[in-house]
Amino acid sequence: RGGDAALDAVGAEMLHVGSHPFASAALAEILARAARPRDVARLVTYFAIAPDPAPAARALAACAAPELPRVLGGWLEAMLPHDGNDPGAPSAKRVAACIAALKPYANLYLAVSPLLSRLADAPPPSA
């Protein structure tokens, strides 16, 4: 069958990236082409947990949902180190890797690249 129920099942299965990372990448691309507003959170979540952000970035770029850049930017911003946190923390490194993976996709990269300056300007850890 098809339709919304099938796309919902694809979205749920895609998030089992530890079980099948290559299938998750393919499922993300299927879901991205549907560009349903409710799938944007799933796609951003997949981008957050994918072992390699490059295939996840390719799937994000295939999604034409207008809210995607805003949701993606919000997630990346939430991952940034905050006052007193180590700017070399794993979350900061993940944000930098995710933004780098978006570089080939101008519309998404332009939406999130201002966060790179926040990574560079992060305060040193407090002693």
Side-chain angles (χ1 to χ4, degrees), residues 5-36 39-40 42-44 46-47 55-56 58-60 62-63:
L7 288 172
D8 289 340
V10 163
E13 191 62 30
M14 169 192 70
L15 294 177
H16 296 289
V17 70
S19 300
H20 44 65
F22 297 110
S24 289
L27 295 173
E29 290 190 21
I30 291 168
L31 200 63
R33 285 191 291 272
R36 299 178 312 166
D39 293 328
V40 169
R42 285 183 177 147
L43 289 166
V44 171
Y46 169 64
F47 188 59
R58 186 173 39 257
L60 287 175
C63 183

Side-chain angles (χ1 to χ4, degrees), residues 8 16-17 32 38 49 51 55 63 72 82 84 91 119:
D8 289 340
H16 296 289
V17 70
R38 67 180 177 224
I49 64 174
C63 183
L72 179 61
H82 297 285
S91 64
L119 280 173

